[in-house]
Amino acid sequence: MRFDVLVVGGGPAGLIAARDVAGQGYDVLLVEEHPEIGEPVQCSGLFSIRGLKQLEVDLPRRAIAGVIRGGRFFSPGGEELEAYSKLDRAYVVERRLFDKELAKQAARAGARIALKTRAKGLRLGEKAKVALESSGREEVVEAEVVIAADGVRSRVASQLGLSTPRRIVAATQVEVESAEVEEDIAELYFGSRWAPNFYAWLLPKGEVCEVGVCVRGGGHPPRVYLERFMREHPIAGRKITGRSRLEYVKGAFPVARPKDTFAERVLLVGDAGGFVKASTGGGVITGGISARLAARACCLALEEGDFSAQFFRENYERAWKAELGRELEVHELIRRVFDSLSDSEIDALFKVAREEDIPSLMVKFPDTDRPYEFFMQLLEKERFVRAIERFLRLEI
Ligand SMILES: Cc1cc2nc3c(=O)[nH]c(=O)nc-3n(C[C@H](O)[C@H](O)[C@H](O)COP(=O)(O)OP(=O)(O)OC[C@H]3O[C@@H](n4cnc5c(N)ncnc54)[C@H](O)[C@@H]3O)c2cc1C
């Protein structure tokens, strides 16, 4: 079988890329190894409203479980900061419904979606030849371009010898039936006892609440930290009133900027390309933007019949660097600064942040997707800069 474009992976990035390319009248096949789009869920579903608009996803009402207007942050020693405004900033979305909605959009645009179909091998030449396995049968399909949207451990990227993310964070989350949190505030908890080198969270989601931890290093699996956080955290532990667990979620995401995001006839999008906000772990909006840019480059390549690496460097890499490059850099810088701080240094930073009224600065910006402008203004806060100076010097 022959297609203009083969998309490997039916997560948000793959579905958006398939939708956009098929929408331009090209023949698209998307393969997903699981039997159902949206399963298993590996996400909290916190997406900025601005980002969703940019992805052109019109969500059905039932997919939106909550609206977030602010954040509350707790340092390891219990220092508290709050950034809240009355504006709707982000939705807490039912991720499985989100992915299904994207699949509908892709199918309506003309993309063919093959479930229970795994891409096993890729050969590049006159065309891209991809071996697919489905129900024990193997078949080779040909495509002009392959869009790799196969997630953080992208098989396509490693087969091509492209760089795959070196720094990966493991996350796990549980849904509890009740917690004493405001319905529109996400709470983030720092501290090596609860979530080494990242954070733990309470995220209100309509009638339930998500409790999760992201962990890098630390010596135990995330589940151990999650149980400890729920049982022993002096603040969060008391807020979690519902002891029945409704759903477990686990997964991983990259926290290093993308490096290789293309090759001849191949484009990497979403987690596969490392398009994740390293400071928060959110990858759906940035990954979706990368997918839209890849789709555009792909359509251009099909129009011009040029599938060279050089063409994609000019039409994909350049585009994502212009749109996302400096934002992802700032995310990574923030991540590296936090990674190098001890618990007591984070406590001290919280104190300075309060004295410098950083929360008032935070609420001037609509969401965390684009932190560059925020960061530039942060650098004008002298005492804050002095507190993180030695880390900035390490990084610049
Ligand atoms: C616990 C947790 C909470 C998170 N919370 C948020 C959040 O609140 N907001 C946010 O923006 N991000 C969040 N993220 C990150 C977000 O889930 C990812 O960034 C996002 O799913 C990446 O989308 P993607 O399409 O690139 O990859 P994925 O969603 O990983 O999709 C890749 C797909 O490819 C398929 N696949 C892989 N290999 C093959 C193959 N060889 N053949 C066929 N199919 C294949 C997989 O089955 C999968 O369906 C969270 C992550 C975790 C782990």
Side-chain angles (χ1 to χ4, degrees), residues 6 9 66 90 102 154 199 204 225 277 314 324 347 351 381:
L6 177 77
L102 285 173
S154 170
Y199 55 70
Y225 289 101
K277 298 182 284 183
E314 281 161 21
L324 293 172
D347 283 331
K351 282 200 183 101
K381 305 270 186 189

Side-chain angles (χ1 to χ4, degrees), residues 106-128:
R108 279 190 210 119
R112 210 178 118 182
I113 297 174
L115 298 175
K116 283 168 66 177
T117 305
R118 172 178 292 141
K120 287 190 70 186
L122 165 72
R123 256 189 310 123
L124 298 176
E126 283 284 290
K127 307 265 179 201

Side-chain angles (χ1 to χ4, degrees), residues 8 40 59 79 106 125 143 145 149 159 161 164 180 204 237 272 330 332 335 359-360 369 373 390:
V8 182
L59 280 175
E79 289 285 330
V145 182
Q159 273 199 348
T164 45
E180 284 167 8
V330 171
E332 201 184 5
R335 166 70 19 233
S360 300
D369 291 346
E373 284 302 327
R390 71 185 166 100

Side-chain angles (χ1 to χ4, degrees), residues 8-15 31-34 39-40 42-47 95 99 117-120 149-156 169-173 201 203 210 213-214 249-254 269-272 275-277 281-285 287:
V8 182
L15 293 164
V31 294
E32 166 55 50
E33 62 189 356
H34 288 103
E39 294 284 351
Q42 294 181 319
C43 193
S44 314
L46 184 65
F47 309 146
R95 171 70 193 261
D99 286 19
T117 305
R118 172 178 292 141
K120 287 190 70 186
D150 49 347
V152 59
R153 295 192 174 86
S154 170
R155 189 176 174 140
V156 174
V169 169
T172 191
Q173 174 188 281
W201 66 89
L203 181 67
E210 292 179 344
V213 297
C214 287
V249 158
K250 67 178 175 130
F253 50 83
V269 298
D271 279 15
F275 292 97
V276 174
K277 298 182 284 183
V284 169
I285 300 298

Side-chain angles (χ1 to χ4, degrees), residues 22-86:
Q24 294 303 307
Y26 293 107
D27 263 350
V28 179
L29 173 67
L30 178 145
V31 294
E32 166 55 50
E33 62 189 356
H34 288 103
E36 190 174 348
I37 294 291
E39 294 284 351
V41 172
Q42 294 181 319
C43 193
S44 314
L46 184 65
F47 309 146
S48 71
I49 295 174
R50 182 173 62 153
L52 287 170
K53 283 199 183 115
Q54 198 174 352
L55 301 186
E56 294 185 67
V57 192
D58 209 3
L59 280 175
R61 203 55 238 162
R62 69 196 171 94
I64 301 170
V67 179
I68 296 299
R69 302 187 178 88
R72 190 171 290 136
F73 309 89
F74 296 87
S75 79
E79 289 285 330
E80 188 179 326
L81 293 174
E82 185 180 298
Y84 182 85
S85 79
K86 290 194 184 104

